[in-house]
Amino acid sequence: MRSTGVALLAAGAGLMLALTACGANSSSGGGGGGGGSSPPPAAAAAKVGVILPDTASSARYESFDRPLLDKALRAEGLDPDIQNAQGDVQKFSTLADGMINNGVKVLILDAPNTDVGAAVEKKAQAAGIPTIDYDRLNLGGSADYYVSFDNTRVGALQGQGLVQGLADKPGAQVIEIEGSATDNNATLFYNGQQSVVKPKYDSGAYKLVASQRIPNWDNQQGGITFEQFLTGNGGKVDAVLAANDGLAGAVITVLKKTGLNGKAIVTGQDATPDGLQAILRGDQYMTVFKPIADEANGAAKLAGALAKGDRAGADALATATTQDTKSNRAVKSVLLTPILITKENIKQVVDQGGVKASEICVADTQAACDQLGIKQQ
């Protein structure tokens, strides 16, 4: 399930960032009537509903997405209502019903799974409310637009990081701890990973010990599953292909029990403070940085155009397409470029505002920060 339009990524992202705030409201200072008449009141800002998926699978949603989306939507002259479903599909549906009934002009969705996302989009469509899939595509849904990163590329970077960390160690034993089977992004990550590591398995350069998708990206379950695989393999592992920093953290907790932390290569994703600290300590080899500010800005600009009924303006931003394999339709998309992060270039995440130096330079990582030139503001 690869995203199409990859060749248009750079152009699409550049266009998105270069365009001015097309949805900003401004009030006229005119009012040249006579007889003490006052100017008409400024139009109320268009309401935009945003529903985030949870707080358990990744720290990013509340730490990054919420404040960045709020800032970006307000910059477009919109009035955001941002809620979090806390991983509860019924709550997600209830929140959406409330927003639809309250007459939001646009609905931005990052659903816990594709089924509830698609169901909400059907309701929104019936009410004449355009929808934007944010970060993950709802397969079988009816979203008007999709804003995310090239998620197949994210997985490929994870595979590349694992290969880079192993340095072609012959016969390396690998365990894969993957994301939820109900998340289309997790499938795209997996596809990208396999484009890199499967040839290694097929040739015998690496041995795949076990692979498991973890329901709901549950970090605790991910740790339990990994420990079972590790025990079943006689306590031996050379690398763990973990699909995000949360699962990587659970894996590292298990590795510490057996003294394998810092010895086994562990991948991740999201460039969270915990993940970056683990890289600085040497317990995690890499993560994937996805500049969420760009993602939030992309969604906000689309919402600004849609709130004004400017479909042509929205289309000008969404220059890529992503294939919905369930409904067999191409979804107009804004796709952004992810970045592979290891200890050597971790400073880039700080320099680009992904995290603050104070969030990753703590007592046991300060020496590494000093060595890498990461300074607290």
Side-chain angles (χ1 to χ4, degrees):
M1 284 191 277
R2 289 179 178 271
S3 300
T4 58
V6 173
L8 297 176
L9 285 175
L15 175 61
M16 178 194 74
L17 295 175
L19 287 175
T20 56
C22 59
N25 292 326
S26 60
S27 58
S28 172
S37 61
S38 58
K47 197 82 170 178
V48 174
V50 181
I51 311 180
L52 300 174
D54 62 69
T55 56
S57 68
S58 177
R60 61 166 285 188
Y61 298 114
E62 290 299 309
S63 298
F64 300 107
D65 294 271
R66 177 188 285 272
L68 289 169
L69 280 165
D70 185 82
K71 179 181 178 181
L73 288 164
R74 292 186 188 280
E76 293 296 316
L78 303 169
D79 181 12
D81 177 11
I82 304 176
Q83 303 292 334
N84 194 305
Q86 299 295 341
D88 185 331
V89 294
Q90 183 57 53
K91 183 175 181 179
F92 189 93
S93 183
T94 299
L95 288 169
D97 287 345
M99 291 176 179
I100 291 170
N101 292 336
N102 287 335
V104 295
K105 296 299 182 183
V106 184
L107 200 53
I108 300 174
L109 304 174
D110 191 349
N113 65 56
T114 61
D115 290 339
V116 69
V120 164
E121 287 167 0
K122 186 176 181 179
K123 292 179 184 179
Q125 188 177 50
I129 300 171
T131 54
I132 300 169
D133 276 347
Y134 178 81
D135 200 58
R136 66 189 89 185
L137 184 68
N138 291 310
L139 294 179
S142 54
D144 297 270
Y145 297 92
Y146 172 49
V147 179
S148 189
F149 290 82
D150 178 355
N151 292 307
T152 304
R153 177 63 179 160
V154 169
L157 292 178
Q158 292 175 318
Q160 290 172 23
L162 182 136
V163 171
Q164 179 178 311
L166 282 172
D168 290 326
K169 180 178 181 178
Q173 300 188 60
V174 181
I175 295 174
E176 297 176 350
I177 301 296
E178 302 290 352
S180 174
T182 59
D183 180 355
N184 184 56
N185 275 7
T187 299
L188 297 177
F189 302 148
Y190 178 80
N191 291 346
Q193 295 164 7
Q194 296 306 303
S195 71
V196 178
V197 299
K198 190 174 185 299
K200 297 284 189 181
Y201 300 150
D202 292 345
S203 70
Y206 296 166
K207 175 188 175 183
L208 177 60
V209 175
S211 179
Q212 182 66 49
R213 297 186 71 160
I214 305 301
N216 302 316
W217 293 85
D218 187 307
N219 296 333
Q220 183 178 5
Q221 184 59 51
I224 292 170
T225 301
F226 171 69
E227 189 162 21
Q228 291 171 344
F229 288 155
L230 182 63
T231 301
N233 197 46
K236 297 178 181 179
V237 67
D238 296 300
V240 185
L241 194 49
N244 73 355
D245 288 350
L247 292 172
V251 164
I252 290 166
T253 297
V254 176
L255 292 174
K256 285 180 177 179
K257 294 180 184 179
T258 55
L260 291 174
N261 60 302
K263 299 176 182 177
I265 298 301
V266 180
T267 70
Q269 178 192 173
D270 288 335
T272 63
D274 286 346
L276 296 171
Q277 284 184 27
I279 291 174
L280 290 170
R281 293 186 187 102
D283 292 333
Q284 184 172 325
Y285 182 75
M286 62 79 67
T287 188
V288 179
F289 176 42
K290 300 181 292 187
I292 297 172
D294 293 349
E295 189 176 22
N297 289 337
K301 290 188 181 299
L302 280 175
L306 292 172
K308 297 193 302 180
D310 182 11
R311 289 276 176 167
D315 287 349
L317 295 167
T319 57
T321 59
T322 302
Q323 191 68 21
D324 180 341
T325 56
K326 188 172 183 179
S327 63
N328 194 29
R329 72 185 185 104
V331 185
K332 296 174 182 178
S333 306
V334 174
L335 297 178
L336 304 165
T337 304
I339 303 166
L340 191 157
I341 297 295
T342 63
K343 186 175 181 179
E344 285 67 31
N345 68 335
I346 202 169
K347 186 174 183 290
Q348 183 175 353
V349 183
V350 178
D351 291 345
Q352 292 188 220
V355 296
K356 296 177 181 177
S358 60
E359 294 178 286
I360 64 172
C361 299
V362 295
D364 61 350
T365 63
Q366 188 60 57
C369 285
D370 292 343
Q371 183 181 14
L372 295 167
I374 302 173
K375 301 184 183 299
Q376 301 198 28
Q377 297 287 320

